[in-house]
Amino acid sequence: MNIVLGITGGIAAYKTPELVRRLRGRGADVQIVMTASAEEFVTATALQAVSGRPVRSNLWDQKAEAAMGHIELARWADVVLIAPATAEIMARLAGGAAPDLLTTLCLATEAKIAIAPAMNHVMWSNPAVQSNRELLEERGIMILGPEHGSQACGETGAGRMLEPDDIAAAVCAADLGGNATAGLLAGRTVLVTAGPTREPIDPVRYITNRSSGKMGYAMARAAAAQGARVVLISGPVNLEDPHGVEVHRVETAEQMHVETHRNISEVDIFIGAAAVSDYRPTETAPQKIKKQEETMTLKLIRSEDILASVARLDHAPFTVGFAAETENVRDYARGKLEDKRLDMIVANRVGDDCGFDHDDNTVDVLWPNGEKAFPMTAKSELAHTLIELIAERFESMRGDDTQPELSVISARD
Ligand code: C5P
């Protein structure tokens, strides 16, 4: 897939080297075209390094035009993606103006155009910008985002550029009329549980844990990026809904269990990344418990193991568990793989430098007859690698399914 990535002058341009990496990670060739104002926010040197191609910015650059003229470039593109797209570029596109290389390309191309707007939320809600958005949409331009959230200007509202991963996922998964790769999980449904659960003691207190949900959310994004339909069942976390993912919010382990089984029938791959509370109070007090005695005892009861209950189903999906351990990580994880009858387990050590609430993670992945170690990596990066491995193991097990007797033995015992 050939992508012309147009970068315009908004602060979100600082995220574009990451976007280029995400697009290339999905097999796309990326040619960058920057506007003059984009150069104020991100350097051509960085973009050239990550894209592996000289950056284009000037319509009148004779040397660059001799190598690949702007009309040739317009034909080369399967998709023209503009990220970030400012209010200015939207107005230029709406008006058909072509004062620079990027806008000229947009007029000269027959490729699909996608834009990821990014601007202050008041600008985004301005009627002029909204009427340009409508016009561009009517003309078939794909509008990706923006998201609601905190903005570089310090305010909060709708106008944040989608995360690079979400943009890359949307561009690569959408049928854009080019040679878009559908992804390793196209046509599959993946269900992910993420975050902690909250088990109420009384109306104001609960038992919970330190899970941030980051790893589960990263897994959901990465699965969506590989073309899967993704359902994310999330405990209470402070994270934005991943773009293109169906999010169901729950609080307690029991609700997560019910919601999982309500959605499990069409699922091909189940990823249990939630830190489900193992115990819950046997009773929830209807009123706030008053302090009286010097000590008090809470009676707890075991929660149902959601992951094991899914793996036990007659037509169980491919089940992947997570195991957070503070010691003997691989031994405990292999024990869980076997006890819960999983197809794969991702084991990570939790400590001061990794695991809960950190952006980085280092894991060992184990399956019935193999294992692989992954060094410390950002959770979002690691999630992509894990999803690739899951897709590979899932496909190889499906291959085994053509010999049913053997597969049951090799996969489960
Ligand atoms: O046994 P342990 O809690 O360490 O296993 C962790 C794995 O099991 C995780 O994948 C977690 O999401 C899942 N789990 C679950 N339901 C529970 C407890 C754990 O799905 N009640």
Side-chain angles (χ1 to χ4, degrees):
M1 189 180 193
N2 294 338
I3 299 181
V4 164
L5 172 60
I7 305 176
T8 67
I11 179 65
Y14 83 89
K15 294 182 177 175
T16 51
E18 183 64 18
L19 174 58
V20 175
R21 293 188 60 223
R22 296 288 176 212
L23 292 167
R24 293 194 72 194
R26 286 174 183 78
D29 280 331
V30 181
Q31 171 62 57
I32 288 156
V33 176
M34 297 172 83
T35 62
S37 12
E39 290 174 13
E40 300 289 328
F41 295 97
V42 61
T43 69
T45 317
L47 290 162
Q48 174 164 330
V50 286
S51 69
R53 289 166 172 270
V55 170
R56 298 284 305 268
S57 54
N58 185 354
L59 185 57
W60 311 112
D61 181 338
Q62 290 184 2
K63 209 165 133 216
E65 278 289 306
M68 177 152 35
H70 62 278
I71 298 293
E72 239 177 301
L73 196 52
R75 286 200 200 111
W76 173 86
D78 294 311
V79 177
V80 176
L81 165 66
I82 304 179
T86 55
E88 168 73 11
I89 187 92
M90 289 176 68
R92 287 185 182 181
L93 293 178
D100 58 17
L101 177 59
L102 181 58
T103 43
T104 305
L105 265 173
C106 289
L107 285 187
T109 193
E110 287 179 334
K112 183 87 179 175
I113 300 176
I115 67 171
M119 65 198 75
N120 167 273
H121 66 104
V122 183
M123 284 175 86
W124 175 247
S125 60
N126 185 292
V129 175
Q130 285 306 311
S131 100
N132 286 336
R133 176 192 60 75
E134 267 170 42
L135 188 62
L136 296 177
E137 229 164 1
E138 272 167 32
R139 289 191 196 145
I141 291 184
M142 187 177 180
I143 316 278
L144 305 171
E147 269 182 342
H148 189 280
S150 62
Q151 302 206 278
C153 55
E155 295 174 10
T156 300
R160 268 170 70 98
M161 187 174 82
L162 289 188
E163 289 305 316
D165 219 24
D166 294 334
I167 297 174
V171 168
C172 293
D175 177 10
L176 294 176
N179 306 319
T181 45
L184 294 171
L185 294 174
R188 304 280 172 219
T189 298
V190 176
L191 195 155
V192 182
T193 63
T197 62
R198 272 183 194 166
E199 311 303 327
I201 298 170
D202 67 17
V204 295
R205 305 180 179 97
Y206 51 75
I207 299 173
T208 191
N209 59 64
R210 293 180 54 193
S211 166
S212 63
K214 285 179 185 165
M215 194 65 221
Y217 274 56
M219 294 298 284
R221 280 179 206 278
Q226 288 295 355
R229 170 183 168 245
V230 182
V231 179
L232 173 63
I233 299 181
S234 170
V237 295
N238 254 331
L239 301 171
E240 302 265 341
D241 287 1
H243 185 70
V245 168
E246 191 182 314
V247 183
H248 301 226
R249 298 218 175 240
V250 295
E251 285 220 355
T252 65
E254 210 169 343
Q255 289 165 358
M256 189 174 273
H257 181 253
V258 169
E259 200 58 16
T260 296
H261 283 274
R262 222 168 53 78
N263 286 277
I264 204 71
S265 60
E266 303 292 312
V267 169
D268 298 291
I269 297 172
F270 175 77
I271 302 174
V276 186
S277 197
D278 290 322
Y279 292 90
R280 64 176 188 276
T282 46
E283 286 171 17
T284 302
Q287 305 299 334
K288 184 177 170 189
I289 300 171
K290 293 288 172 204
K291 54 178 171 292
Q292 286 162 345
E293 310 299 327
E294 271 313 299
T295 61
M296 80 173 270
T297 307
L298 268 181
K299 193 161 180 198
L300 305 178
I301 183 169
R302 271 286 279 275
S303 303
E304 171 99 37
D305 191 312
I306 303 169
L307 179 62
S309 72
V310 169
R312 274 198 312 268
L313 291 172
D314 276 350
H315 298 285
F318 185 90
T319 46
V320 183
F322 275 74
E325 304 290 352
T326 53
E327 55 177 354
N328 298 337
V329 179
R330 284 173 55 249
D331 290 347
Y332 284 143
R334 191 157 286 283
K336 280 179 197 173
L337 179 80
E338 285 160 13
D339 294 346
K340 300 194 192 199
R341 307 176 81 203
L342 308 178
D343 297 305
M344 188 182 267
I345 195 155
V346 182
N348 67 306
R349 194 180 59 79
V350 285
D352 291 341
D353 54 344
C354 58
F356 285 140
D357 222 4
H358 286 277
D359 289 328
D360 295 342
N361 215 350
T362 168
V363 298
D364 287 297
V365 181
L366 299 94
W367 56 94
N369 46 17
E371 58 184 72
K372 195 167 177 180
F374 293 89
M376 187 73 96
T377 327
K379 283 182 179 172
S380 57
E381 196 77 39
L382 181 62
H384 285 284
T385 316
L386 290 174
I387 287 291
E388 280 167 18
L389 185 59
I390 289 168
E392 187 187 309
R393 296 290 316 146
F394 170 72
E395 285 304 332
S396 88
M397 273 196 50
R398 270 170 44 85
D400 289 349
D401 280 351
T402 51
Q403 300 138 10
E405 297 301 325
L406 280 176
S407 83
V408 171
I409 294 164
S410 66
R412 298 286 183 197
D413 292 14

